Amino acid sequence: QVQLQESGPGLVKPSETLSLTCAVSGYSISSGYYWGWIRQPPGKGLEWIGSIYHSGSTYYNPSLKSRVTISVDTSKNQFSLKLSSVTAADTAVYYCARHTPLGGRVDYWGQGTLVTVSS
Amino acid sequence: DIQMTQSPSSLSASVGDRVTITCQASQDISNYLNWYQQKPGKAPKLLIYDASNLETGVPSRFSGSGSGTDFTFTISSLQPEDIATYYCQQYDNGLTFGGGTKVEIK
């Protein structure tokens, strides 16, 4: 059974960098699929942040691209998100997820982690 | 960028009712349209992929149809456990979600 688990600080100060890691178990990242980050502000809808393939190729939401970096560590079977220059608008539940290369269906999700941006 | 317009934003129906949600893409996305169910405090769950394919283990009262720009998601007989928010999602050089439909029991 594929499982994803997010980890990282739950509180980040404005203008700093948000950093999260997603540990994957039950499936090797190197075997394929895209691995991505999706967020959901409190009471609002879902927003895709970006995704990475096991090869390291990435693609990002154009609205966030200037602030986002997603990387993968296949030796640890995990991938990470960095979002720079955060503001209160970045407060959200952050999900890591797996999606298919074709069709983009997200078939596995982490449980989500709330990150609050506040001083 | 492709925009997804989902309607209605909320609905109230009785147990046993047929419920329909629509999703319109701003341009042709073929059948690359997926549907998710999200219950409060939980991650979304994939129900329908590629417009009309039922994910393994999902009850058959859920179904999807459409292609191109217009898509429909249907619950044939609403059950109390179906209370949730439903999202459509397209895939075209990135993932885009619809605004969501909150389904409540009347």
Side-chain angles (χ1 to χ4, degrees):
Chain A
Q1 177 73 349
V2 181
Q3 293 185 314
L4 295 86
Q5 178 67 57
E6 305 90 351
S7 63
L11 181 64
V12 181
K13 290 182 169 54
S15 80
E16 296 190 343
T17 296
L18 178 160
S19 297
L20 296 174
T21 296
C22 182
V24 179
S25 59
Y27 189 87
S28 172
I29 286 179
S30 300
S31 295
Y33 285 88
Y34 273 93
W35 306 88
W37 292 93
I38 295 161
R39 70 181 183 179
Q40 185 170 37
K44 297 187 178 180
L46 299 161
E47 179 182 37
W48 172 71
I49 299 170
S51 300
I52 189 166
Y53 199 52
H54 67 86
S55 62
S57 63
T58 54
Y59 63 125
Y60 302 128
N61 186 324
S63 69
L64 298 169
K65 186 175 182 178
S66 63
R67 299 194 290 130
V68 175
T69 302
I70 296 176
S71 58
V72 64
D73 185 338
T74 54
S75 67
K76 294 182 178 179
N77 213 39
Q78 64 186 34
F79 60 105
S80 299
L81 167 71
K82 291 188 184 300
L83 180 65
S84 65
S85 304
V86 298
T87 70
D90 296 308
T91 293
V93 174
Y94 285 76
Y95 295 101
C96 60
R98 185 183 89 166
H99 68 85
T100 57
L102 185 64
R105 68 179 180 268
V106 183
D107 56 0
Y108 287 98
W109 300 71
Q111 64 184 22
T113 186
L114 174 63
V115 179
T116 301
V117 178
S118 175
S119 56
Chain B
D1 296 351
I2 297 177
Q3 307 302 315
M4 305 302 295
T5 303
Q6 186 174 341
S7 62
S9 57
S10 65
L11 66 88
S12 181
S14 300
V15 173
D17 281 355
R18 184 180 186 86
V19 169
T20 299
I21 298 169
T22 64
C23 193
Q24 186 172 59
S26 58
Q27 63 190 70
D28 190 334
I29 58 171
S30 185
N31 68 332
Y32 293 145
L33 192 285
N34 307 307
W35 291 94
Y36 301 85
Q37 175 193 67
Q38 185 180 33
K39 296 185 177 180
K42 299 294 186 180
K45 173 187 176 183
L46 177 66
L47 300 181
I48 303 288
Y49 65 94
D50 295 347
S52 61
N53 294 291
L54 194 66
E55 177 72 343
T56 302
V58 174
S60 60
R61 65 180 179 274
F62 297 101
S63 65
S65 64
S67 67
T69 61
D70 295 302
F71 301 87
T72 300
F73 172 81
T74 299
I75 306 173
S76 61
S77 177
L78 186 67
Q79 300 301 303
E81 60 267 31
D82 299 336
I83 299 313
T85 300
Y86 294 83
Y87 293 93
C88 62
Q89 172 248 320
Q90 71 85 27
Y91 177 74
D92 179 73
N93 195 31
L95 283 62
T96 307
F97 293 88
T101 297
K102 186 174 184 179
V103 175
E104 298 175 320
I105 294 286
K106 190 182 294 182

